[in-house]
Amino acid sequence: MTTHHDDSPLVSVTDLRAALDSAHPPVLLDVRWQLGGPPGIHDYSAGHLPGAHFVSLDTDLAAPAGPPGRGGRHPLPDPEAFGAALRGFGVSADRPVVLYDGATSLAAARAWWLLRWAGHPDVRVLDGGFAAWQEAGLPVTTEVPPAGEGDFKPVPGQLPTVDADGAAVWAREGLLLDARAGERYRGETEPIDPRAGHIPGAVSAPTTENVGPDGRFLAPAELAARFRALGAGERGTAVYCGSGVTAAHQILALAVAGLPATLYPGSWSEWSGDETRPVAVTDQPG
């Protein structure tokens, strides 16, 4: 079983189990979600890690979608509402938080990024998610824990973000990664957003390549090699996706690799909804 360094944003099943049995157990949050799929609460209700609270990505981890070209499909949540939701899950400033989803950490990464952005000092993602926990033969439950009484108050802005203008600058002068599937980057298909293609100058880097077939992240050295081959360096990288969810996964993978990164929260859903923004439809940054 994989173990992770103390400064890693990931936690293994083995280490999580030990932490849950300790005198200072983490708050557990279940963030199962699928784009266009059934609500994750159904999976949670069928079985979850003991003591875990269910977090809705669409309502707890995002504000309502903005108008076309403004904010995108999953705008960052209102800090007051976000803080109230977290306190209800038992999140406190002095208690670690561990997040998990089904397997790949795609949705859990959004919660990880938001908690770090909001200033929580100790947030980790369960590598391999619920599938890894089940595979280890560890107990699951259908029991819903009582509401928590946390004290965490978000102080937004602790992780960097850029707006559409900033993303355009990153694409021209730095490295802007597009975390969506290659066929969406190339403009071959666009299942959900107003226009197909990518931000001119952005480099394709599908999030799916951050993890292995078991949903666990590749080793830090492998991730570092992947991102350096795409042009990442110490000066940092900006990332976007469809609506700021898979981009958070990319930033988590970059963090595992020891590389800093900036999120464009509006992402393609915002950019493509603004007719004044140029679009590239090619297999190159363009």
Side-chain angles (χ1 to χ4, degrees):
M1 188 65 66
T2 312
T3 55
H4 299 288
H5 300 298
D6 284 347
D7 58 351
S8 173
L10 304 178
V11 62
S12 68
V13 166
T14 305
D15 291 348
L16 175 59
R17 187 181 186 188
L20 290 171
D21 289 336
S22 74
H24 196 57
V27 174
L28 272 181
L29 302 181
D30 183 312
V31 200
R32 280 180 279 180
W33 173 85
Q34 301 174 61
L35 178 63
I41 187 69
H42 300 324
D43 288 334
Y44 174 84
S45 299
H48 50 265
L49 272 63
H53 294 264
F54 177 71
V55 180
S56 166
L57 188 144
D58 289 317
T59 57
D60 295 323
L61 303 180
R70 288 182 57 198
R73 275 184 284 115
H74 287 110
L76 299 185
D78 170 73
E80 290 298 319
F82 182 51
L86 292 173
R87 290 190 291 276
F89 302 140
V91 175
S92 291
D94 64 348
R95 191 174 169 195
V97 179
V98 172
L99 313 151
Y100 71 89
D101 58 27
T104 62
S105 302
L106 200 62
R110 166 77 174 200
W112 167 83
W113 187 92
L114 280 171
L115 275 156
R116 299 287 294 115
W117 167 81
H120 198 287
D122 192 350
V123 190
R124 298 189 192 196
V125 170
L126 175 60
D127 198 16
F130 185 73
W133 183 267
Q134 279 193 304
E135 186 186 300
L138 294 170
V140 300
T141 183
T142 57
E143 190 176 325
V144 177
E149 294 181 4
D151 65 15
F152 179 66
K153 290 184 171 61
V155 181
Q158 307 305 305
L159 290 182
T161 60
V162 291
D163 60 9
D165 289 340
V169 172
W170 273 99
R172 284 196 310 270
E173 300 177 8
L175 177 65
L176 178 65
L177 295 181
D178 184 319
R180 298 171 302 156
E183 56 269 22
R184 289 183 71 190
Y185 172 86
R186 294 187 295 270
E188 294 163 8
T189 181
E190 183 44 67
I192 193 162
D193 290 320
R195 292 185 287 167
H198 62 265
I199 296 174
V203 174
S204 180
T207 294
T208 48
E209 295 175 23
N210 294 330
V211 297
D214 59 0
R216 290 176 175 86
F217 280 85
L218 303 181
E222 289 180 79
L223 288 170
R226 178 193 185 205
F227 292 121
R228 290 196 187 282
L230 293 167
E234 298 307 326
R235 63 191 166 83
T237 301
V239 188
Y240 76 97
C241 58
S243 69
V245 175
T246 55
H249 190 275
Q250 196 89 290
I251 292 173
L252 176 56
L254 282 153
V256 172
L259 295 165
T262 296
L263 176 70
Y264 170 27
S267 282
W268 187 248
S269 55
E270 177 181 73
W271 184 282
S272 62
D274 181 347
E275 293 291 340
T276 69
R277 299 280 174 192
V279 166
V281 185
T282 167
D283 63 355
Q284 298 297 320

